[in-house]
């Protein structure tokens, strides 16, 4: 660990020890009343703990074996069991009173609203299932989804799951190239998109982005387009069909595929250190077990709440806590398509008040942005419905935590700072409402999870010392493999430190056993809580005619957490001008999409490299931030 970081860790340790104890009311109402006792009990036999959690779901056929590690690291859960993710999220509620409850509340930036009960959602999904089967979509196929946060993204995901086809949702802020790469890797047959959406008052033209992507792909046989805002779009008669025409006249009942517990349910791409994104695979059986248990316990669900997760369904947070988690639990999920500060900085608080939101689950970057506008904005709204707050995506600074606690939760709503990953599928290190909280710490591992902080050899490091965050056991909603690349799965997660799951994060534990997550160990950037690979951004720069080589680093940003600074070497004959900087920024935005926020570009003659030719990004970063350079013995220039 670099020295500077250790100094920082101690500072945090000394300054953040205040404990926020849960009120008697919170404990009395909590699903888990005795936090420490529950942790201890689950730790005695995690497999038993997860087996009990699995019994909350419906199974067509019970499992024969709870956990199978005979082919590790290709772990299996609930083998022999038959089930279906969509059946558990939707169909089973139709047999109970839940069918009358609101499943989805939707609002967008310009104020349009929609509402679906479980019954209505069920019918919508079934029509789509029938239509998809009609064009030959079957078990095992892949379907790409590139859509805004609208109810049809939920129906598309659920319909795929019901058929047993894998969905691959690609965040609609990604570019055509990023979309094409993901379609090609998964060899998706069908693509869902929309004619657009509204962002900050402007129409985002998703259809032309998908048209560009399709040119780079061969596998797509049909593009299903949701009419979301009547935008003028090009329509390819051979390939494109309107969503509403596609489902017209389809029966409202459809057969649900009986899947093996270990059958893949979806793939979701996430950035790694090399340019190729990793297709993280989750399954029908274990994934919902982890998601349902965590949503119920972490957010203390009683069964009738309005749950608002402000992420986008295109990220794992959206998969697990906008779509599947709330629906598995039979509660109401609020989907908001837009930014939180349009038309005014209190839009987010207005939405909380209007829909009487009980649980608000958001990200540090959003809290910091709202903090900048000031506490007078949440103060304008009655938010007495709020019970629990959540944070996810990156470490939450103690200052932001305290602001959130005071001005949003009014000192009465516990904050669940949940650490987890695309690969873990569910919250892994998080408090429960009955735990004592520390501002800036994700608390302890969820019951049934054994996490630790270790050195390179896997040895536990002392209290207060930084090290690698690892998980010592297995859990049902864990990644099963990387799509088409099992070797990379083994190497990335199980080949770093013997016998444990390597998360790729740096952390330390304090004397109470609380975890403090410090960030990534690799070059992966975290921009507004989203994982962006350095290699992907660098390739985007190098695809410009003026650039011969590029190195990107993340530099701290007050609101976004990190933004990108790029060091560029120009080709002969190109001049390092401000105009070129603007052009490069535009080029990268076009190549990667608006997710990649380029703050600054510097032109250099040489990049620091190792003897084997690897760019030493950490040297660039240390120089940029005025830190010590550390070990530079491997550097040649
Ligand atoms: O570095 C950690 C950070 O986000 C990474 C996972 O990113 P992704 O797969 O995109 O999933 C984000 C949402 C689950 C982790 O390796 N991270 C996530 N949550 C936290 C966090 N870092 C600190 N505290 C958190 N609560």
């Amino acid at each position: 660990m670099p020295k500077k970081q250790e100094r920082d860790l101690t500072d945090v340790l000394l300054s953040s020890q205040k404990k926020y104890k849960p009120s008697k009311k919170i404990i009395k109402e909590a699903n888990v009343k005795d936090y420490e006792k529950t942790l201890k009990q689950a730790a005695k036999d995690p497999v038993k703990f997860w087996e009990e959690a699995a019994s909350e779901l419906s199974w067509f056929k019970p499992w024969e074996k709870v956990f199978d590690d005979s082919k590790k690291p290709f772990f299996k859960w609930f083998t022999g069991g038959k089930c279906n993710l969509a059946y558990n999220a939707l169909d089973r509620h139709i047999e109970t009173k839940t069918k009358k409850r609101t499943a989805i509340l939707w609002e967008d930036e310009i104020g349009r609203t929609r509402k679906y009960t479980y019954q209505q959602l069920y019918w919508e999904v079934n029509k789509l299932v029938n239509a998809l089967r009609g064009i030959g979509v079957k078990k095992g196929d892949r379907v790409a989804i590139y859509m805004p946060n609208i109810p049809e993204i939920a129906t598309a995901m659920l319909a795929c799951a019901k058929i047993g086809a894998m969905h691959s949702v690609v965040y609609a802020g990604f570019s055509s190239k990023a979309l094409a790469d993901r379609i090609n890797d998964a060899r998706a047959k069908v693509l869902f998109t929309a004619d657009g959406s509204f962002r900050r008052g402007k129409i985002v033209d998703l259809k032309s982005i998908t048209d560009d992507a399709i040119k780079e792909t061969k596998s797509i046989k049909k593009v299903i387009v949701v009419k979301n805002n009547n935008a003028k779009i090009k329509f390819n008669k051979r390939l494109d069909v309107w969503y509403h025409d596609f489902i017209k006249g389809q029966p409202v009942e459809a057969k649900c595929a009986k899947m093996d517990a270990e059958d893949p349910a979806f793939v979701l791409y996430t950035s790694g250190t090399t340019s190729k994104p990793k297709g993280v695979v989750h399954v029908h059986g274990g994934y919902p077990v982890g998601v349902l248990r965590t949503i119920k316990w972490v957010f203390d669900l009683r069964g009738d709440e309005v749950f608002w997760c402000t992420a986008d369904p295109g990220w794992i947070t959206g998969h697990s806590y906008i779509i599947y988690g709330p629906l598995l639990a039979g509660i109401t999920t609020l989907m908001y398509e837009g930014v939180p500060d349009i038309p005014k900085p209190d839009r987010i608080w207005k939405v909380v008040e209007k829909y009487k939101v009980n649980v608000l689950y958001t990200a540090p970057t959003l809290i910091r942005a709202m903090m900048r506008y000031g506490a007078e904005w949440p103060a304008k709204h009655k938010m007495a419905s709020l019970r629990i707050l959540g944070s996810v995506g990156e470490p939450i600074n103690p200052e932001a935590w305290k602001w959130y606690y005071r001005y949003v939760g009014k000192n009465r709503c516990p904050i669940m700072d949940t650490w987890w990953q695309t690969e873990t599928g569910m919250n892994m290190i998080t408090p429960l409402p009955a735990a004592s909280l520390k501002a800036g710490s994700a608390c302890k591992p969820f019951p049934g999870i054994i996490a630790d902080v270790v050195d390179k050899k896997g040895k536990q490091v002392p209290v207060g010392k930084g090290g690698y965050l690892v998980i010592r056991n297995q859990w049902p909603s864990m990644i099963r493999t990387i799509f088409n690349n099992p070797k990379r799965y083994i190497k990335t997660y199980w080949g770093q430190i013997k016998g444990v799951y390597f998360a790729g994060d740096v952390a330390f534990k304090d004397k109470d056993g609380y975890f403090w997550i410090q960030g990534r160990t690799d070059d992966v950037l975290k921009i507004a809580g989203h994982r962006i690979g350095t290699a992907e951004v660098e390739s985007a720069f190098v695809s410009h005619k003026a650039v011969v080589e590029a190195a990107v680093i993340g530099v701290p940003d007050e609101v976004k957490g990190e933004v990108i600074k790029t060091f560029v070497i120009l080709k002969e004959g190109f001049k390092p001008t401000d105009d070129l900087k603007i052009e490069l920024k535009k080029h990268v935005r076009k190549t990667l999409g608006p997710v990649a926020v380029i703050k600054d570009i510097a032109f250099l003659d040489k990049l620091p490299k190792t003897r084997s030719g690897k760019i030493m990004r950490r040297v660039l970063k240390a120089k940029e931030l005025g830190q010590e350079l550390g070990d530079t013995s491997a550097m040649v220039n």
Side-chain angles (χ1 to χ4, degrees), residues 270 315-317 391-396 417-423 429 442 503-505 517 519-520 526 529-531:
T270 187
W315 309 106
I316 191 69
T317 311
S391 172
V392 60
E394 55 176 323
I396 177 164
D417 174 7
T418 60
W419 175 89
W420 58 296
Q421 308 178 296
T422 306
E423 294 86 342
I429 301 179
D505 278 8
I517 317 289
R520 302 283 307 171
K526 263 282 167 176
H530 302 143
R531 254 157 98 174

Side-chain angles (χ1 to χ4, degrees), residues 571-626:
K571 279 189 193 150
E572 293 279 337
F574 287 92
K575 291 220 170 68
T577 60
D578 285 343
D579 282 348
L580 181 58
K581 281 189 189 174
I582 295 169
E583 192 184 317
L584 287 174
K585 280 189 189 175
K586 269 199 201 148
H587 171 77
V588 172
R589 198 184 155 91
K590 186 149 188 287
T591 318
L592 276 177
V595 273
V597 184
I598 310 290
K599 173 93 176 264
D600 199 7
I601 297 174
F603 296 109
L604 296 183
D605 295 330
K606 261 189 227 149
L607 291 171
K609 282 189 185 165
T610 62
R611 267 163 236 287
S612 62
K614 283 203 179 113
I615 300 172
M616 295 183 80
R617 294 181 191 80
R618 81 178 157 79
V619 170
L620 289 168
K621 189 157 179 166
K623 271 207 128 174
E624 180 70 27
L625 304 180

